[in-house]
Amino acid sequence: MIPIYSTMKQMLLFTGLLSAALLVHSVSGFAADDHKFGPDAARDALKDFTVAEGLEVSLFASEPMVVNPANMDIDARGRVWVTEGANYRVSKRMHQKWGELRPSGDRISILEDTDGDGAADKQTTFYQDPCVNTALGVCVLGGRVIVSSSPYVFVLTDTNGDDKADRREILFEDAGQGDHDHDLHTFVFGPDGKLYFNAGNDSPQLRRPINLASVPLNGPIPAHETKPVVDLAGNQVNNHGQPYRQGMVFRCNLDGSDVETLGWNFRNNFEVCVDSFGTLWQSDNDDDGNKGVRINYVMEFGNYGYTDEMTGAGWGQKRTGWEDEIPLRHWHQNDPGVVPNLLLTGAGSPTGILFYEGKLLPEIFRNQVIHCDAGPRVVRAYLTTRDGAGYKAEIKDILTSSNTWFRPSDVCAAPDGSIYVADWNDAGVGGHNMADQKLETMTGRIYRVAPKGHKPSAPKFDFTKANDCVGALQSPNLAARFLAWTTLHRLQGAAEKDLFKLLISPDAHDRARALHLLARIKGSEKKYVELALKERDPDVRITALRIAREEKMDVIPYVRMLVKDPSAQIRRDCAIALRHHPSPEAPRLWAQLAQQHDGKDRWYLEALGIGADKQWDKYVDAWLSAVGENWNTPAGRDIVWRSRSKKTPALLVKIINDKNLTPKERDHYIRSMDFITGPEKEAALVELLTSATPAK
């Protein structure tokens, strides 16, 4: 497809390469010998930290117990599981001069504090093999551990409880070459009993093995066939525009079935986190050096604008109406069909993320996103509040360091509500380089952040009993919640009485967790969904609607009930619930939602667009029938700009020919034409050209 505007190539590739080259130069110019090594040096480095008021940082583990921690999880007992990256960039594809530092492969370690003094004193190697060098994800689900090490996602199982993997299976493959930071990342357990994960734009396609139940515990993977994953929307999951592009985020069942592609067109969305309402949050790295690192609320089924939706063109290719500032231009924010960013945080190298639902940290950090950025050496919270159909956020630092080797790679919540921070600990970050190039001097640290004087602990639960499991379901620790959820879901009605006590908790997050299980008790699904739809808290009402959609209930009666809800966020999810819905009532409901657009809320507008996907003609017809000649308002023009129906081009012509438009406004509407195809567009372009040609 040829855009209707003229284009010119920008020399942004050179800019990105220059940025990376400067970064590599700074790393290579900082000799590892200049860096202090060992536990004493690690403890001494604590003086370099600045920590948020009311909190203190302590050293949990350091080299040689752990080196280059790439990703981390914490189990229900409070033990820290770490993937290491001593063998960073050692494949034939990315081979670096330091070579393979660990011929036996990188470790997945369990670090444990056995005497309760707050420092790890025991290291157990759960698994070690060259196939998991610098694994980008570890997720502990009882005896099953999901390890993301592109091109594979492994399930490693400890069958006898000795903290050693006994069986290796392949859950997914990404059809790529691996050994890259933009590959498959970590899996997390969601409140709905499903897995959430993401992949950066180096993972070309999601695939599953055929007739390969398990593979040898160690060594190369045997030759085998694979098949492309087809998601619940009926699309093969690939990253090159059919229909998804670039980095993606997914949801699936615990066994890997029923994959859903929840968002796409990211660059390197390093990790995703999910709150108890089922809302997704993640970060995304810009093209290096363009000060456009972003934080996203992931509105389900949205396009996030790293490349042109229609052509795949990069953000540096000239387009009509693009923004003056590169950080905004970078994410195609002027294009219809691109979900807005929650926050831009400037230059950086974003890494691990969590949604903190504990009660130990100061109140300001509770129920907020906590995130690591290795570039500026900071662990931050994003203090998020509702804003129309979306959110707005402010930055509040939790942990920073003046030590230039501090490189936070991940953050996790322990069962007691403290948070642990993994520190890769290196003079540079990115550029496929590192300063630590000798195993004997390689560093890595794990820190604990908690209120001053708080001693670590791990509440003990009997995960066979419903009452204990309801207690564990309230844990800030995902591994504990997984064990609780699994038992409660298996008990079904036998757990109903205990779960109902949680459903009437004053805490909306607790109520949502109970609802996820109560609404999945066979025979009681509708009862609990409909009860929750009358809830006072809009997030719990949203949770009920999401459960109905995930469990394939008939959502039309619920959308009908909520279509005029005073909460724009409720109406946002109503629009998303209408996506691809075959009901003859769906267009009329969508039109009612569209009539409530205020002409200012981009989140709401994009939710309407997601809801109308593949049914634009019917939905726009219903809206035009409802508004009649009154469509040409600021809100109506917004909807036309976003729409892709056969009637859209003619409506755009009427808007563009308005002599009161500024040139910038005219470009805004002209850009919309690039996302429409068909004879109606061609006729509209002819009309535009004719009206712009002076009469002779």
Side-chain angles (χ1 to χ4, degrees):
M1 175 183 138
I2 300 175
I4 64 172
Y5 52 82
S6 62
T7 64
M8 66 178 183
K9 295 280 187 178
Q10 305 295 303
M11 296 189 67
L12 293 165
L13 176 61
F14 172 77
T15 304
L17 290 174
L18 178 60
S19 170
L22 290 172
L23 185 58
V24 171
H25 176 75
S26 69
V27 173
S28 60
F30 198 129
D33 294 339
D34 296 335
H35 182 49
K36 294 179 180 179
F37 167 87
D40 289 341
R43 281 187 287 270
D44 186 59
L46 291 173
K47 71 179 186 304
D48 300 323
F49 281 107
T50 300
V51 65
E53 184 179 358
L55 297 174
E56 64 181 358
V57 58
S58 59
L59 182 68
F60 177 74
S62 69
E63 67 281 352
M65 183 178 282
V66 59
V67 300
N68 286 12
N71 196 252
M72 177 175 63
D73 199 7
I74 301 177
D75 66 21
R77 294 162 55 185
R79 302 183 305 171
V80 177
W81 296 60
V82 180
T83 70
E84 294 180 306
N87 286 345
Y88 182 60
R89 298 291 178 265
V90 296
S91 68
K92 292 180 180 178
R93 174 193 187 192
M94 303 292 294
H95 186 67
Q96 294 286 14
K97 60 183 179 181
W98 50 81
E100 192 174 54
L101 300 180
R102 273 184 177 155
S104 55
D106 273 329
R107 302 180 300 189
I108 298 171
S109 293
I110 308 171
L111 307 181
E112 188 172 0
D113 170 16
T114 63
D115 58 11
D117 68 351
D121 49 57
K122 180 181 179 182
Q123 182 272 334
T124 303
T125 300
F126 175 75
Y127 187 72
Q128 186 171 16
D129 189 84
C131 67
V132 296
N133 289 331
T134 318
L136 296 180
V138 58
C139 174
V140 181
L141 303 174
R144 298 171 70 241
V145 179
I146 301 176
V147 174
S148 303
S149 185
S150 179
Y152 304 109
V153 175
F154 295 112
V155 177
L156 301 172
T157 304
D158 174 9
T159 60
N160 57 11
D162 66 351
D163 291 332
K164 304 284 185 180
D166 305 306
R167 186 169 68 240
R168 179 172 64 160
E169 302 163 276
I170 299 176
L171 187 64
F172 290 109
E173 302 179 32
D174 70 4
Q177 301 178 69
D179 201 22
H180 199 287
D181 293 339
H182 295 221
D183 285 324
L184 281 161
H185 295 121
T186 198
F187 284 61
V188 295
F189 179 70
D192 50 2
K194 298 193 176 186
L195 296 172
Y196 291 77
F197 64 106
N198 59 17
N201 64 351
D202 191 58
S203 292
Q205 185 177 57
L206 199 63
R207 303 182 69 86
R208 300 204 72 181
I210 299 174
N211 299 324
L212 191 70
S214 63
V215 295
L217 185 60
N218 295 98
I221 304 301
H224 62 281
E225 293 184 69
T226 61
K227 61 180 179 181
V229 169
V230 176
D231 65 18
L232 291 184
N235 300 311
Q236 278 196 14
V237 180
N238 60 59
N239 71 356
H240 43 272
Q242 299 176 2
Y244 313 123
R245 292 193 184 278
Q246 304 291 318
M248 295 172 280
V249 58
F250 308 101
R251 173 170 57 214
C252 68
N253 294 331
L254 290 173
D255 63 359
S257 61
D258 289 348
V259 170
E260 294 177 86
T261 310
L262 299 179
W264 53 92
N265 218 353
F266 301 96
R267 180 176 180 261
N268 188 24
N269 40 329
F270 199 83
E271 190 170 302
V272 65
C273 62
V274 191
D275 66 26
S276 289
F277 308 119
T279 306
L280 281 70
W281 313 86
Q282 67 177 19
S283 63
D284 193 14
N285 198 3
D286 65 347
D287 279 333
D288 296 329
N290 288 289
K291 300 180 181 180
V293 170
R294 61 177 173 173
I295 310 301
N296 291 112
Y297 146 57
V298 182
M299 188 187 295
E300 289 184 41
F301 314 118
N303 161 35
Y304 288 81
Y306 176 49
T307 60
D308 187 292
E309 175 191 344
M310 303 296 281
T311 67
W315 60 270
Q317 184 165 326
K318 181 68 176 179
R319 58 186 185 269
T320 300
W322 72 356
E323 297 86 346
D324 294 331
E325 298 179 29
I326 286 180
L328 297 175
R329 186 187 305 169
H330 195 288
W331 303 115
H332 285 81
Q333 293 288 287
N334 64 304
D335 286 357
V338 175
V339 177
N341 298 318
L342 170 65
L343 193 65
L344 290 176
T345 60
S349 299
T351 50
I353 193 169
L354 70 84
F355 194 91
Y356 182 77
E357 293 181 315
K359 295 179 173 63
L360 182 66
L361 298 189
E363 188 171 356
I364 193 172
F365 300 122
R366 297 174 194 173
N367 302 320
Q368 300 291 352
V369 174
I370 296 178
H371 178 234
C372 298
D373 196 326
R377 303 184 301 279
V378 62
V379 180
R380 305 180 177 115
Y382 304 120
L383 309 181
T384 305
T385 54
R386 298 185 185 107
D387 185 27
Y391 303 89
K392 59 184 177 182
E394 299 176 5
I395 295 173
K396 176 71 174 176
D397 289 350
I398 295 178
L399 187 67
T400 61
S401 178
S402 60
N403 189 319
T404 57
W405 282 65
F406 175 53
R407 299 295 180 181
S409 57
D410 202 7
V411 57
C412 290
D416 65 357
S418 59
I419 60 172
Y420 285 69
V421 176
D423 175 12
W424 179 281
N425 205 252
D426 205 281
V429 61
H432 307 300
N433 205 349
M434 60 182 181
D436 280 338
Q437 297 178 9
K438 296 179 181 178
L439 185 59
E440 58 269 23
T441 58
M442 191 166 285
T443 53
R445 284 94 191 251
I446 309 290
Y447 308 101
R448 179 176 183 264
V449 178
K452 294 178 180 179
H454 183 272
K455 300 299 182 184
S457 62
K460 293 182 179 179
F461 298 103
D462 183 342
F463 287 102
T464 67
K465 296 180 179 178
N467 186 55
D468 268 26
C469 286
V470 169
L473 198 65
Q474 299 168 66
S475 173
N477 175 257
L478 292 180
R481 278 193 236 166
F482 164 78
L483 293 172
W485 198 99
T486 302
T487 296
L488 293 166
H489 185 57
R490 186 181 69 249
L491 289 173
Q492 289 282 295
E496 187 171 10
K497 182 178 178 181
D498 291 291
L499 282 167
F500 194 83
K501 294 176 184 177
L502 191 60
L503 189 65
I504 58 175
S505 162
D507 188 303
H509 294 78
D510 286 343
R511 298 200 300 275
R513 290 178 213 162
L515 178 63
H516 276 293
L517 283 153
L518 288 165
R520 289 177 169 89
I521 295 175
K522 291 178 175 58
S524 297
E525 299 92 340
K526 287 183 63 177
K527 177 178 75 173
Y528 283 108
V529 164
E530 291 172 5
L531 180 66
L533 287 174
K534 301 172 184 175
E535 244 270 8
R536 64 187 181 277
D537 190 287
D539 281 320
V540 179
R541 300 204 299 280
I542 289 170
T543 304
L545 185 58
R546 288 172 177 169
I547 291 170
R549 178 159 49 84
E550 279 188 46
E551 296 302 310
K552 300 179 176 59
M553 300 180 192
D554 181 6
V555 298
I556 292 298
Y558 305 144
V559 174
R560 191 188 307 131
M561 181 190 309
L562 299 171
V563 72
K564 293 187 178 180
D565 195 284
S567 167
Q569 298 202 333
I570 294 281
R571 301 196 308 275
R572 170 202 73 204
D573 266 60
C574 285
I576 293 170
L578 295 176
R579 181 178 185 257
H580 303 168
H581 204 290
S583 169
E585 193 176 350
R588 181 181 64 81
L589 291 170
W590 185 90
Q592 286 184 264
L593 294 167
Q595 286 173 265
Q596 296 171 79
H597 175 48
D598 63 4
K600 301 174 183 177
D601 190 340
R602 179 70 180 271
W603 302 95
Y604 194 85
L605 180 65
E606 291 303 331
L608 290 171
I610 290 168
D613 183 55
K614 296 186 178 180
Q615 301 196 82
W616 274 112
D617 289 341
K618 289 191 291 185
Y619 283 28
V620 168
D621 282 353
W623 172 67
L624 288 172
S625 177
V627 299
E629 293 300 317
N630 295 321
W631 68 268
N632 198 358
T633 64
R637 290 193 291 272
D638 236 11
I639 290 169
V640 170
W641 174 79
R642 176 61 183 90
S643 67
R644 303 192 182 171
S645 76
K646 292 179 180 177
K647 292 182 178 177
T648 297
L651 295 173
L652 283 170
V653 169
K654 292 181 180 180
I655 296 171
I656 292 166
N657 280 334
D658 183 345
K659 295 180 180 179
N660 294 318
L661 287 184
T662 66
K664 185 174 182 179
E665 289 171 332
R666 187 167 287 107
D667 284 348
H668 172 74
Y669 293 108
I670 289 174
R671 175 61 173 158
S672 180
M673 285 284 193
D674 291 325
F675 297 86
I676 302 167
T677 58
E680 295 82 8
K681 171 184 174 177
E682 305 307 320
L685 292 178
V686 169
E687 185 177 346
L688 274 179
L689 289 170
T690 302
S691 61
T693 303
K696 292 184 180 180

